[in-house]
Amino acid sequence: MIGIIVHAGAGNWNVENGHLEEAVRACEAAVAAGQAILLNGGSALDAVEAAVHVLEDCPVLDAGRGSYPNTDGAVEMDALIMDGRSLKLGAIAAIQRVRHPISLARRVMTDSGHHFLVGAGADAFADSIGFPRCDVSELLVGEDLVKYRQKEAQAALGDTVGAVALDAAGDLAAATSTGGTANKRPGRVGDSPLVGCGAYADNWTAAVSATGYGEALMRVVISKRVCDFVGTGLSAGSACEAAIRVLEERTEGDGGLIAIDARGQIGFAFNTQAMPHAYAVGDGPIVSGR
Ligand code: ASP
């Protein structure tokens, strides 16, 4: 049984300007892209990468195009992809001038001999493999929108994106991509590219992607925690809810989670005002929510 669920960031979404609706539509398109790959026998890794591409292209989301600039006006992005079969992962942090950070993270996993590259080293790796670079202007979506969204991003939350999937071979994968929080310091890295925090995938339990206030999420290693809860017998949904309770009780942080377990059961939870998301199981309809 194949399945996929995606999110477009837990936060205080403004319900009046149309961005939340646009984010839900992008989630539906992302699931459609991933579901088509999975139904054709494609891998969970391919499905989550393709789904995150759609979300990285959406200008109202804080990943790839539409990322928040930092206080220097530079765009520094973080991404993590993980293969639940081998537990291999690829991550990048503070990468600049890349349209699809998730694909560079995947190349780190497959081609760098390492699992996590940052800053100038990540840049050098991207150039060494001929990874497509872009101008920073392609990532910024206009001063008005950026300023507007910075104001909207109270509590320093962004609109990070993520996807998790189960393929026909029974393999799980997880992916998370972000421009980080609004008004962040140069060099700031949140939970998103940290293994077990921004995402985790293990065929023995579940695949998980997290979003929210990174400085809190990383303290409870939230994505791995969801997998551990699934390992104790909780459903994917109950495991997400339990991990959000831990986040609240131990850090008073805000966030959201999506998960799919090794049987294809979907779960999600968040303690923010909204978290646009969408999912599909088998060849079933795409279900979306906020
Ligand atoms: N977790 C992300 C970060 O702290 C932000 C978000 O999910 O919106 O970088």
Side-chain angles (χ1 to χ4, degrees):
M1 174 63 80
I2 64 107
I4 179 165
I5 176 166
V6 310
H7 72 77
N12 299 314
W13 286 79
N14 180 324
V15 287
E16 275 149 29
N17 61 7
H19 292 176
L20 182 55
E21 265 319 301
E22 207 174 319
V24 173
R25 297 287 94 80
C27 286
E28 291 167 350
V31 166
Q35 186 186 28
I37 288 169
L38 295 167
L39 289 174
N40 276 327
S43 70
L45 277 171
D46 284 346
V48 294
E49 183 182 1
V52 167
H53 265 217
V54 172
L55 299 167
E56 285 175 337
D57 280 336
C58 177
V60 306
L61 302 178
D62 175 32
R65 184 156 176 265
S67 289
Y68 292 122
N70 62 23
T71 51
D72 279 354
V75 174
E76 294 184 334
M77 300 164 288
D78 310 324
L80 164 64
I81 190 164
M82 185 160 181
D83 174 8
R85 183 169 55 81
S86 63
L87 300 182
K88 285 188 179 160
L89 60 109
I92 46 164
I95 186 73
Q96 301 192 16
R97 297 183 299 106
V98 162
R99 274 297 287 261
H100 291 294
I102 201 65
S103 294
L104 183 57
R106 188 165 178 185
R107 295 293 300 271
V108 169
M109 175 170 80
T110 54
D111 297 319
S112 75
H114 301 292
H115 282 336
F116 196 170
L117 294 175
V118 305
D123 266 326
F125 170 69
D127 291 339
S128 76
I129 59 168
F131 195 84
R133 307 309 296 264
C134 69
D135 197 80
V136 67
S137 62
E138 287 179 52
L139 301 171
L140 297 170
V141 287
E143 223 172 290
D144 289 350
L145 182 55
V146 167
K147 278 211 185 103
Y148 189 82
R149 291 169 63 224
Q150 276 173 341
K151 227 170 55 197
E152 237 174 58
Q154 302 146 5
L157 298 187
D159 336 301
T160 292
V161 309
V164 297
L166 173 70
D167 64 28
D171 291 325
L172 290 166
T176 302
S177 181
T178 186
T181 45
N183 301 315
K184 68 181 181 182
R185 273 175 201 268
R188 179 268 185 190
V189 176
D191 62 301
S192 302
L194 304 181
V195 61
C197 301
Y200 200 76
D202 181 352
N203 277 8
W204 286 10
T205 53
V208 182
S209 170
T211 167
Y213 184 47
E215 280 72 4
L217 297 166
M218 67 170 74
R219 286 157 61 200
V220 296
V221 195
I222 196 157
S223 292
K224 176 65 162 59
R225 200 174 277 265
V226 173
C227 291
D228 291 345
F229 281 137
V230 168
T232 68
L234 290 193
S235 70
S238 300
C240 289
E241 280 162 21
I244 292 292
R245 275 201 300 278
V246 173
L247 179 72
E248 281 177 349
E249 284 173 25
R250 301 294 284 124
T251 72
E252 297 179 7
D254 290 333
L257 292 159
I258 55 169
I260 185 166
D261 69 19
R263 290 172 302 160
Q265 288 193 322
I266 298 277
F268 61 89
F270 53 96
N271 65 353
T272 55
Q273 171 251 1
M275 182 183 75
H277 59 275
Y279 59 89
V281 175
D283 61 0
I286 295 171
V287 180
S288 60
R290 49 170 75 167

PDB file of all heavy atoms in Angstrom, residues 7 9-11 62 68 78 156-161 176 178-181 184 188-193 198 210-215 217-218, ligand 1:
ATOM      1  N   HIS A   7       3.385  18.677   4.125  1.00  0.00           N
ATOM      2  CA  HIS A   7       2.944  19.875   4.860  1.00  0.00           C
ATOM      3  C   HIS A   7       3.609  21.116   4.279  1.00  0.00           C
ATOM      4  O   HIS A   7       4.629  21.016   3.581  1.00  0.00           O
ATOM      5  CB  HIS A   7       3.262  19.760   6.356  1.00  0.00           C
ATOM      6  CG  HIS A   7       4.723  19.883   6.686  1.00  0.00           C
ATOM      7  ND1 HIS A   7       5.392  21.077   6.707  1.00  0.00           N
ATOM      8  CD2 HIS A   7       5.655  18.936   6.998  1.00  0.00           C
ATOM      9  CE1 HIS A   7       6.651  20.872   7.024  1.00  0.00           C
ATOM     10  NE2 HIS A   7       6.849  19.578   7.193  1.00  0.00           N
ATOM     11  N   GLY A   9       4.083  23.930   6.467  1.00  0.00           N
ATOM     12  CA  GLY A   9       4.517  24.780   7.573  1.00  0.00           C
ATOM     13  C   GLY A   9       3.445  25.054   8.614  1.00  0.00           C
ATOM     14  O   GLY A   9       2.335  25.475   8.283  1.00  0.00           O
ATOM     15  N   ALA A  10       3.792  24.816   9.863  1.00  0.00           N
ATOM     16  CA  ALA A  10       2.894  25.112  10.982  1.00  0.00           C
ATOM     17  C   ALA A  10       3.168  26.524  11.456  1.00  0.00           C
ATOM     18  O   ALA A  10       4.311  26.894  11.678  1.00  0.00           O
ATOM     19  CB  ALA A  10       3.136  24.119  12.125  1.00  0.00           C
ATOM     20  N   GLY A  11       2.123  27.335  11.593  1.00  0.00           N
ATOM     21  CA  GLY A  11       2.341  28.698  12.049  1.00  0.00           C
ATOM     22  C   GLY A  11       1.049  29.458  12.209  1.00  0.00           C
ATOM     23  O   GLY A  11      -0.045  28.891  12.195  1.00  0.00           O
ATOM     24  N   ASP A  62       8.104  29.142   2.527  1.00  0.00           N
ATOM     25  CA  ASP A  62       9.463  29.475   2.959  1.00  0.00           C
ATOM     26  C   ASP A  62      10.421  28.315   2.665  1.00  0.00           C
ATOM     27  O   ASP A  62      10.937  27.673   3.571  1.00  0.00           O
ATOM     28  CB  ASP A  62       9.403  29.795   4.463  1.00  0.00           C
ATOM     29  CG  ASP A  62      10.760  30.037   5.080  1.00  0.00           C
ATOM     30  OD1 ASP A  62      11.640  30.559   4.368  1.00  0.00           O
ATOM     31  OD2 ASP A  62      10.941  29.696   6.252  1.00  0.00           O
ATOM     32  N   TYR A  68      12.604  33.135   3.272  1.00  0.00           N
ATOM     33  CA  TYR A  68      12.862  34.397   3.968  1.00  0.00           C
ATOM     34  C   TYR A  68      14.333  34.752   3.874  1.00  0.00           C
ATOM     35  O   TYR A  68      15.190  33.904   4.137  1.00  0.00           O
ATOM     36  CB  TYR A  68      12.545  34.266   5.461  1.00  0.00           C
ATOM     37  CG  TYR A  68      11.098  34.097   5.794  1.00  0.00           C
ATOM     38  CD1 TYR A  68      10.662  32.991   6.499  1.00  0.00           C
ATOM     39  CD2 TYR A  68      10.168  35.052   5.435  1.00  0.00           C
ATOM     40  CE1 TYR A  68       9.324  32.832   6.838  1.00  0.00           C
ATOM     41  CE2 TYR A  68       8.833  34.911   5.758  1.00  0.00           C
ATOM     42  CZ  TYR A  68       8.424  33.794   6.462  1.00  0.00           C
ATOM     43  OH  TYR A  68       7.108  33.643   6.792  1.00  0.00           O
ATOM     44  N   ASP A  78      18.104  25.411   4.291  1.00  0.00           N
ATOM     45  CA  ASP A  78      18.482  24.142   4.912  1.00  0.00           C
ATOM     46  C   ASP A  78      17.570  23.040   4.377  1.00  0.00           C
ATOM     47  O   ASP A  78      16.376  23.282   4.171  1.00  0.00           O
ATOM     48  CB  ASP A  78      18.286  24.199   6.435  1.00  0.00           C
ATOM     49  CG  ASP A  78      18.914  25.424   7.083  1.00  0.00           C
ATOM     50  OD1 ASP A  78      19.998  25.838   6.621  1.00  0.00           O
ATOM     51  OD2 ASP A  78      18.311  25.961   8.032  1.00  0.00           O
ATOM     52  N   ALA A 156       8.178  33.827  15.147  1.00  0.00           N
ATOM     53  CA  ALA A 156       9.339  33.391  14.359  1.00  0.00           C
ATOM     54  C   ALA A 156       9.118  32.091  13.616  1.00  0.00           C
ATOM     55  O   ALA A 156      10.061  31.371  13.327  1.00  0.00           O
ATOM     56  CB  ALA A 156      10.571  33.303  15.250  1.00  0.00           C
ATOM     57  N   LEU A 157       7.891  31.750  13.282  1.00  0.00           N
ATOM     58  CA  LEU A 157       7.673  30.543  12.494  1.00  0.00           C
ATOM     59  C   LEU A 157       7.707  30.864  11.008  1.00  0.00           C
ATOM     60  O   LEU A 157       7.357  31.962  10.598  1.00  0.00           O
ATOM     61  CB  LEU A 157       6.316  29.916  12.825  1.00  0.00           C
ATOM     62  CG  LEU A 157       6.142  29.445  14.259  1.00  0.00           C
ATOM     63  CD1 LEU A 157       4.836  28.693  14.396  1.00  0.00           C
ATOM     64  CD2 LEU A 157       7.288  28.562  14.679  1.00  0.00           C
ATOM     65  N   GLY A 158       8.098  29.882  10.203  1.00  0.00           N
ATOM     66  CA  GLY A 158       8.106  30.071   8.758  1.00  0.00           C
ATOM     67  C   GLY A 158       7.061  29.193   8.105  1.00  0.00           C
ATOM     68  O   GLY A 158       6.115  28.763   8.743  1.00  0.00           O
ATOM     69  N   ASP A 159       7.232  28.955   6.844  1.00  0.00           N
ATOM     70  CA  ASP A 159       6.312  28.080   6.117  1.00  0.00           C
ATOM     71  C   ASP A 159       7.157  27.009   5.445  1.00  0.00           C
ATOM     72  O   ASP A 159       7.077  26.767   4.247  1.00  0.00           O
ATOM     73  CB  ASP A 159       5.508  28.845   5.080  1.00  0.00           C
ATOM     74  CG  ASP A 159       5.422  30.318   5.435  1.00  0.00           C
ATOM     75  OD1 ASP A 159       4.927  30.619   6.513  1.00  0.00           O
ATOM     76  OD2 ASP A 159       5.900  31.146   4.639  1.00  0.00           O
ATOM     77  N   THR A 160       7.970  26.398   6.271  1.00  0.00           N
ATOM     78  CA  THR A 160       8.804  25.262   5.894  1.00  0.00           C
ATOM     79  C   THR A 160       7.954  24.194   5.233  1.00  0.00           C
ATOM     80  O   THR A 160       6.774  24.076   5.537  1.00  0.00           O
ATOM     81  CB  THR A 160       9.442  24.729   7.195  1.00  0.00           C
ATOM     82  OG1 THR A 160      10.350  25.707   7.658  1.00  0.00           O
ATOM     83  CG2 THR A 160      10.145  23.407   7.008  1.00  0.00           C
ATOM     84  N   VAL A 161       8.572  23.372   4.363  1.00  0.00           N
ATOM     85  CA  VAL A 161       7.798  22.334   3.684  1.00  0.00           C
ATOM     86  C   VAL A 161       8.403  20.958   3.961  1.00  0.00           C
ATOM     87  O   VAL A 161       9.593  20.838   4.264  1.00  0.00           O
ATOM     88  CB  VAL A 161       7.724  22.595   2.163  1.00  0.00           C
ATOM     89  CG1 VAL A 161       7.275  24.024   1.893  1.00  0.00           C
ATOM     90  CG2 VAL A 161       9.046  22.310   1.466  1.00  0.00           C
ATOM     91  N   THR A 176      12.572  17.385   4.211  1.00  0.00           N
ATOM     92  CA  THR A 176      12.178  18.685   4.756  1.00  0.00           C
ATOM     93  C   THR A 176      13.065  19.758   4.124  1.00  0.00           C
ATOM     94  O   THR A 176      14.272  19.540   3.956  1.00  0.00           O
ATOM     95  CB  THR A 176      12.343  18.701   6.300  1.00  0.00           C
ATOM     96  OG1 THR A 176      11.551  17.656   6.855  1.00  0.00           O
ATOM     97  CG2 THR A 176      11.907  20.026   6.901  1.00  0.00           C
ATOM     98  N   THR A 178      13.667  24.245   3.939  1.00  0.00           N
ATOM     99  CA  THR A 178      13.254  25.513   4.552  1.00  0.00           C
ATOM    100  C   THR A 178      14.217  26.650   4.227  1.00  0.00           C
ATOM    101  O   THR A 178      15.405  26.426   3.976  1.00  0.00           O
ATOM    102  CB  THR A 178      13.184  25.364   6.096  1.00  0.00           C
ATOM    103  OG1 THR A 178      12.637  26.560   6.658  1.00  0.00           O
ATOM    104  CG2 THR A 178      14.548  25.118   6.714  1.00  0.00           C
ATOM    105  N   GLY A 179      13.675  27.854   4.274  1.00  0.00           N
ATOM    106  CA  GLY A 179      14.508  29.051   4.262  1.00  0.00           C
ATOM    107  C   GLY A 179      14.801  29.503   5.679  1.00  0.00           C
ATOM    108  O   GLY A 179      15.418  30.544   5.897  1.00  0.00           O
ATOM    109  N   GLY A 180      14.337  28.713   6.664  1.00  0.00           N
ATOM    110  CA  GLY A 180      14.555  29.072   8.072  1.00  0.00           C
ATOM    111  C   GLY A 180      13.545  30.097   8.544  1.00  0.00           C
ATOM    112  O   GLY A 180      12.598  30.430   7.849  1.00  0.00           O
ATOM    113  N   THR A 181      13.766  30.612   9.738  1.00  0.00           N
ATOM    114  CA  THR A 181      12.804  31.544  10.305  1.00  0.00           C
ATOM    115  C   THR A 181      13.030  32.968   9.773  1.00  0.00           C
ATOM    116  O   THR A 181      14.135  33.319   9.362  1.00  0.00           O
ATOM    117  CB  THR A 181      12.906  31.552  11.841  1.00  0.00           C
ATOM    118  OG1 THR A 181      14.285  31.612  12.198  1.00  0.00           O
ATOM    119  CG2 THR A 181      12.309  30.288  12.424  1.00  0.00           C
ATOM    120  N   LYS A 184      16.118  35.782  10.771  1.00  0.00           N
ATOM    121  CA  LYS A 184      17.149  35.002  11.478  1.00  0.00           C
ATOM    122  C   LYS A 184      18.525  35.643  11.274  1.00  0.00           C
ATOM    123  O   LYS A 184      18.765  36.344  10.289  1.00  0.00           O
ATOM    124  CB  LYS A 184      17.154  33.559  10.978  1.00  0.00           C
ATOM    125  CG  LYS A 184      17.621  33.384   9.529  1.00  0.00           C
ATOM    126  CD  LYS A 184      17.583  31.928   9.092  1.00  0.00           C
ATOM    127  CE  LYS A 184      18.070  31.794   7.649  1.00  0.00           C
ATOM    128  NZ  LYS A 184      18.000  30.409   7.160  1.00  0.00           N
ATOM    129  N   ARG A 188      22.361  31.119  11.186  1.00  0.00           N
ATOM    130  CA  ARG A 188      21.428  30.384  12.049  1.00  0.00           C
ATOM    131  C   ARG A 188      20.922  29.134  11.312  1.00  0.00           C
ATOM    132  O   ARG A 188      20.499  29.202  10.162  1.00  0.00           O
ATOM    133  CB  ARG A 188      20.253  31.277  12.420  1.00  0.00           C
ATOM    134  CG  ARG A 188      19.178  30.609  13.299  1.00  0.00           C
ATOM    135  CD  ARG A 188      18.072  29.978  12.491  1.00  0.00           C
ATOM    136  NE  ARG A 188      17.003  29.447  13.331  1.00  0.00           N
ATOM    137  CZ  ARG A 188      16.020  28.683  12.872  1.00  0.00           C
ATOM    138  NH1 ARG A 188      15.954  28.375  11.598  1.00  0.00           N
ATOM    139  NH2 ARG A 188      15.086  28.237  13.674  1.00  0.00           N
ATOM    140  N   VAL A 189      20.955  28.006  11.976  1.00  0.00           N
ATOM    141  CA  VAL A 189      20.404  26.774  11.434  1.00  0.00           C
ATOM    142  C   VAL A 189      19.400  26.239  12.442  1.00  0.00           C
ATOM    143  O   VAL A 189      19.696  26.166  13.633  1.00  0.00           O
ATOM    144  CB  VAL A 189      21.516  25.728  11.179  1.00  0.00           C
ATOM    145  CG1 VAL A 189      20.910  24.420  10.695  1.00  0.00           C
ATOM    146  CG2 VAL A 189      22.520  26.257  10.143  1.00  0.00           C
ATOM    147  N   GLY A 190      18.221  25.892  11.954  1.00  0.00           N
ATOM    148  CA  GLY A 190      17.180  25.378  12.846  1.00  0.00           C
ATOM    149  C   GLY A 190      17.170  23.869  12.890  1.00  0.00           C
ATOM    150  O   GLY A 190      18.191  23.201  12.686  1.00  0.00           O
ATOM    151  N   ASP A 191      15.999  23.319  13.146  1.00  0.00           N
ATOM    152  CA  ASP A 191      15.854  21.864  13.262  1.00  0.00           C
ATOM    153  C   ASP A 191      15.864  21.167  11.910  1.00  0.00           C
ATOM    154  O   ASP A 191      16.208  19.981  11.820  1.00  0.00           O
ATOM    155  CB  ASP A 191      14.518  21.540  13.942  1.00  0.00           C
ATOM    156  CG  ASP A 191      13.361  22.054  13.102  1.00  0.00           C
ATOM    157  OD1 ASP A 191      13.310  23.272  12.843  1.00  0.00           O
ATOM    158  OD2 ASP A 191      12.533  21.237  12.644  1.00  0.00           O
ATOM    159  N   SER A 192      15.429  21.891  10.859  1.00  0.00           N
ATOM    160  CA  SER A 192      15.062  21.216   9.603  1.00  0.00           C
ATOM    161  C   SER A 192      16.137  20.282   9.033  1.00  0.00           C
ATOM    162  O   SER A 192      15.815  19.163   8.641  1.00  0.00           O
ATOM    163  CB  SER A 192      14.644  22.255   8.559  1.00  0.00           C
ATOM    164  OG  SER A 192      13.567  23.013   9.051  1.00  0.00           O
ATOM    165  N   PRO A 193      17.427  20.677   8.975  1.00  0.00           N
ATOM    166  CA  PRO A 193      18.407  19.764   8.372  1.00  0.00           C
ATOM    167  C   PRO A 193      19.015  18.790   9.382  1.00  0.00           C
ATOM    168  O   PRO A 193      19.869  17.983   8.998  1.00  0.00           O
ATOM    169  CB  PRO A 193      19.481  20.720   7.846  1.00  0.00           C
ATOM    170  CG  PRO A 193      19.482  21.828   8.844  1.00  0.00           C
ATOM    171  CD  PRO A 193      18.047  21.981   9.310  1.00  0.00           C
ATOM    172  N   GLY A 198      14.366  17.709  12.134  1.00  0.00           N
ATOM    173  CA  GLY A 198      13.537  18.147  11.010  1.00  0.00           C
ATOM    174  C   GLY A 198      12.893  16.997  10.257  1.00  0.00           C
ATOM    175  O   GLY A 198      11.858  17.178   9.611  1.00  0.00           O
ATOM    176  N   ALA A 210       9.017  17.497  10.314  1.00  0.00           N
ATOM    177  CA  ALA A 210       8.576  18.452  11.343  1.00  0.00           C
ATOM    178  C   ALA A 210       8.630  19.879  10.826  1.00  0.00           C
ATOM    179  O   ALA A 210       9.357  20.199   9.883  1.00  0.00           O
ATOM    180  CB  ALA A 210       9.472  18.323  12.572  1.00  0.00           C
ATOM    181  N   THR A 211       7.876  20.738  11.481  1.00  0.00           N
ATOM    182  CA  THR A 211       7.885  22.168  11.175  1.00  0.00           C
ATOM    183  C   THR A 211       7.530  22.927  12.442  1.00  0.00           C
ATOM    184  O   THR A 211       6.901  22.386  13.343  1.00  0.00           O
ATOM    185  CB  THR A 211       6.873  22.503  10.060  1.00  0.00           C
ATOM    186  OG1 THR A 211       6.696  23.926  10.008  1.00  0.00           O
ATOM    187  CG2 THR A 211       5.505  21.870  10.314  1.00  0.00           C
ATOM    188  N   GLY A 212       7.929  24.193  12.483  1.00  0.00           N
ATOM    189  CA  GLY A 212       7.621  25.008  13.651  1.00  0.00           C
ATOM    190  C   GLY A 212       8.867  25.710  14.156  1.00  0.00           C
ATOM    191  O   GLY A 212       9.806  25.962  13.398  1.00  0.00           O
ATOM    192  N   TYR A 213       8.861  26.027  15.428  1.00  0.00           N
ATOM    193  CA  TYR A 213       9.943  26.803  16.021  1.00  0.00           C
ATOM    194  C   TYR A 213      11.163  25.909  16.239  1.00  0.00           C
ATOM    195  O   TYR A 213      11.218  25.117  17.173  1.00  0.00           O
ATOM    196  CB  TYR A 213       9.442  27.417  17.329  1.00  0.00           C
ATOM    197  CG  TYR A 213      10.435  28.312  18.003  1.00  0.00           C
ATOM    198  CD1 TYR A 213      11.127  29.293  17.296  1.00  0.00           C
ATOM    199  CD2 TYR A 213      10.678  28.182  19.358  1.00  0.00           C
ATOM    200  CE1 TYR A 213      12.042  30.107  17.920  1.00  0.00           C
ATOM    201  CE2 TYR A 213      11.592  29.004  20.000  1.00  0.00           C
ATOM    202  CZ  TYR A 213      12.277  29.961  19.262  1.00  0.00           C
ATOM    203  OH  TYR A 213      13.181  30.770  19.890  1.00  0.00           O
ATOM    204  N   GLY A 214      12.133  26.043  15.314  1.00  0.00           N
ATOM    205  CA  GLY A 214      13.253  25.111  15.270  1.00  0.00           C
ATOM    206  C   GLY A 214      14.042  25.020  16.561  1.00  0.00           C
ATOM    207  O   GLY A 214      14.528  23.945  16.935  1.00  0.00           O
ATOM    208  N   GLU A 215      14.162  26.159  17.264  1.00  0.00           N
ATOM    209  CA  GLU A 215      14.957  26.170  18.494  1.00  0.00           C
ATOM    210  C   GLU A 215      14.308  25.297  19.571  1.00  0.00           C
ATOM    211  O   GLU A 215      14.981  24.842  20.489  1.00  0.00           O
ATOM    212  CB  GLU A 215      15.142  27.615  18.983  1.00  0.00           C
ATOM    213  CG  GLU A 215      16.243  28.397  18.260  1.00  0.00           C
ATOM    214  CD  GLU A 215      15.907  28.798  16.826  1.00  0.00           C
ATOM    215  OE1 GLU A 215      14.781  28.539  16.368  1.00  0.00           O
ATOM    216  OE2 GLU A 215      16.788  29.357  16.141  1.00  0.00           O
ATOM    217  N   LEU A 217      11.988  22.568  18.577  1.00  0.00           N
ATOM    218  CA  LEU A 217      11.866  21.227  17.977  1.00  0.00           C
ATOM    219  C   LEU A 217      13.149  20.417  18.143  1.00  0.00           C
ATOM    220  O   LEU A 217      13.115  19.210  18.411  1.00  0.00           O
ATOM    221  CB  LEU A 217      11.543  21.352  16.479  1.00  0.00           C
ATOM    222  CG  LEU A 217      10.223  22.027  16.119  1.00  0.00           C
ATOM    223  CD1 LEU A 217      10.207  22.374  14.629  1.00  0.00           C
ATOM    224  CD2 LEU A 217       9.043  21.142  16.461  1.00  0.00           C
ATOM    225  N   MET A 218      14.299  21.091  17.986  1.00  0.00           N
ATOM    226  CA  MET A 218      15.568  20.347  18.045  1.00  0.00           C
ATOM    227  C   MET A 218      15.852  19.844  19.456  1.00  0.00           C
ATOM    228  O   MET A 218      16.519  18.851  19.647  1.00  0.00           O
ATOM    229  CB  MET A 218      16.727  21.190  17.495  1.00  0.00           C
ATOM    230  CG  MET A 218      17.074  22.399  18.325  1.00  0.00           C
ATOM    231  SD  MET A 218      18.621  23.208  17.796  1.00  0.00           S
ATOM    232  CE  MET A 218      18.160  24.029  16.288  1.00  0.00           C
TER     233      MET A 218
HETATM  234  N1  ASP B   1      11.445  24.653  11.581  1.00  0.00           N
HETATM  235  C1  ASP B   1      11.876  25.715  10.730  1.00  0.00           C
HETATM  236  C2  ASP B   1      13.118  26.333  11.281  1.00  0.00           C
HETATM  237  O1  ASP B   1      13.189  26.560  12.462  1.00  0.00           O
HETATM  238  C3  ASP B   1      10.846  26.766  10.506  1.00  0.00           C
HETATM  239  C4  ASP B   1       9.474  26.252  10.152  1.00  0.00           C
HETATM  240  O2  ASP B   1       9.188  25.080  10.241  1.00  0.00           O
HETATM  241  O3  ASP B   1       8.637  27.052   9.762  1.00  0.00           O
HETATM  242  O4  ASP B   1      14.014  26.597  10.550  1.00  0.00           O
END
